[in-house]
Amino acid sequence: RRNQWLPPAGREELLDIVVHSSGDVPSPSASAASVDRSRPALLRGAAEAWRARETWGREAFLERFGDLRFKLRPCERLHEYSYTGPWQEVVSLKDYFDDTSVVGRRVAEESPAVLFENSFLDCDVHKALWSDCTLPAMLADIHAEPIFSVARKHTYVGFHSHKASWLAQVQGRKAWFLAPPEREMPPIRQPWDYVEQRPEGVQLCVVNPGDVLYVPEGWWHATWNLDDFVVGIGWESADDGSSANWHAGMHAVADGDLPALKSWHSSAASTECPTQEMLYLAARAGHGDVLQHLLEWLEATRSSQTSQHHFGAIASGSAISGHMRALELLQPFSLRDDAWHPWVLQAAALCGQGQVIDWLLMRGARVDANDA
């Protein structure tokens, strides 16, 4: 596989061309009140004041987070983008960046791969990461699916598209190749090939540490990591775009911010019971204290709306993300004829959540259940 790559000197020369290019993506002024959502936008320095910019240097970052494990995604297939895959294995940050480890040597020498998550992580990990980061005010409505991206030099992702998203470059530089949704997807190549022969209509943008890139829904994009320690964090919109219309309570659920949720709950604007959308988001995010508060609130209201909630669908959110604490909280509401709704087991299987599958099977989930 290595002989399919350009010689290292060739890649370095092309990287130098990219780094010194002026780029094609507009940058709104620092005083702009909004972003043109119809095209990509590069927000220069929008994350420069984040605490993560100071505290996530390589040595300190690996000391603090190095034992955390994330999905290792192969570069040659990562454009087949979804939270269900493709991924090879789960590895620690320390092993990924360590050239003496089996994983580190393989990534550096044979099989380029990145660590990438586009779903809710363990709630404590999520809070720890985001405690050093802040939602950009101009993009705060894009807040439904968290993104965490870690990469080494010359790793990449081929062209793909999804809902509107933004990614803050905390450490390292990343080159982006972008194309509008009305054209066909550009060919899948290694990214340095786009420098030698750029497909028609493809724009180039280099995102430096402290910058934030906004990518509209449907825009094709591919990336090339330009340094050996690259860390990015951001959010993607909901599949139906609904996060643009969320109230403060939904944003509090996504962040696992119980005080903010209680404040919203006590307001006059939130007199009814929590909606299925809120419960599903809490189950996906896995913030146990937030979900418990919503369930207690739901029990306290005991309105006719309670029976309209589909707890099989809500619990499926926990199964997708692998949050067993959330499943424990949802169990009294979710059993049907003393068995879990089959959607929950199916969701866990689809997303490769083996521990959740075992946990469900031990608690009455049936593989032959009818999901009608």
Side-chain angles (χ1 to χ4, degrees), residues 294-369:
L294 292 176
L295 292 172
E296 290 173 353
W297 174 13
L298 184 69
E299 283 280 83
T301 59
R302 294 193 177 275
S303 69
S304 60
Q305 296 182 48
T306 304
S307 61
Q308 298 174 15
H309 289 80
H310 193 312
F311 278 95
I314 293 169
S316 296
S318 298
I320 287 171
S321 300
H323 295 312
M324 287 189 285
R325 170 58 179 153
L327 286 170
E328 291 174 351
L329 292 169
L330 288 166
Q331 184 168 357
F333 301 86
S334 303
L335 297 184
R336 185 180 66 176
D337 298 328
D338 294 324
W340 283 90
H341 194 285
W343 288 358
V344 186
L345 187 60
Q346 290 168 8
L350 177 66
C351 297
Q353 299 291 355
Q355 289 184 320
V356 172
I357 293 171
D358 292 341
W359 188 91
L360 289 168
L361 291 174
M362 292 176 61
R363 288 161 177 80
R366 294 171 47 198
V367 295
D368 60 346

Side-chain angles (χ1 to χ4, degrees), residues 106-172:
R106 188 170 73 236
V107 170
E109 299 175 4
E110 301 174 10
S111 181
V114 301
L115 300 181
F116 182 80
E117 301 282 356
N118 60 321
S119 186
F120 283 95
L121 304 169
D122 173 87
C123 56
D124 291 334
V125 174
H126 176 90
K127 289 180 179 180
L129 291 171
W130 279 98
S131 67
D132 293 333
C133 309
T134 308
L135 292 178
M138 286 190 289
L139 301 172
D141 57 297
I142 301 175
H143 192 206
E145 299 280 355
I147 302 170
F148 182 61
S149 174
V150 175
R152 300 186 59 166
K153 193 173 187 177
H154 295 317
T155 57
Y156 58 91
V157 182
F159 275 103
H160 62 286
S161 67
H162 46 72
K163 295 299 179 181
S165 65
W166 61 266
L167 188 73
Q169 203 61 37
V170 182
Q171 298 292 339

Side-chain angles (χ1 to χ4, degrees), residues 251-274:
H251 287 288
V253 171
D255 287 332
D257 190 339
L258 183 59
L261 177 62
K262 288 182 175 179
S263 176
W264 178 83
H265 179 187
S266 64
S267 70
S270 57
T271 56
E272 298 180 351
C273 72

Side-chain angles (χ1 to χ4, degrees), residues 33-35 37 135-145 164-166 214 235-238 241-247 250-251 254:
S34 61
V35 172
R37 298 297 181 93
L135 292 178
M138 286 190 289
L139 301 172
D141 57 297
I142 301 175
H143 192 206
E145 299 280 355
S165 65
W166 61 266
Y214 162 72
W235 287 86
E236 187 176 329
S237 183
S242 60
S243 59
N245 300 312
W246 279 0
H247 51 64
M250 286 290 288
H251 287 288

Side-chain angles (χ1 to χ4, degrees), residues 56 58 60-72 89-98 101 103 114-117 120-132 148-150 229 231 233:
W56 287 14
R58 178 174 179 141
F61 184 81
L62 294 178
E63 177 66 27
R64 181 177 173 189
F65 298 115
D67 292 332
L68 298 181
R69 298 165 65 83
F70 300 98
K71 295 185 181 71
L72 184 70
E89 56 188 303
V90 178
V91 304
S92 73
L93 286 165
K94 282 183 179 177
D95 283 346
Y96 178 74
F97 283 108
D98 183 359
S101 73
V103 171
V114 301
L115 300 181
F116 182 80
E117 301 282 356
F120 283 95
L121 304 169
D122 173 87
C123 56
D124 291 334
V125 174
H126 176 90
K127 289 180 179 180
L129 291 171
W130 279 98
S131 67
D132 293 333
F148 182 61
S149 174
V150 175
F229 182 68
V231 181
I233 193 167

Side-chain angles (χ1 to χ4, degrees), residues 79-95:
H79 60 277
E80 302 167 14
Y81 183 94
S82 74
Y83 53 70
T84 60
W87 50 283
Q88 294 173 323
E89 56 188 303
V90 178
V91 304
S92 73
L93 286 165
K94 282 183 179 177
D95 283 346

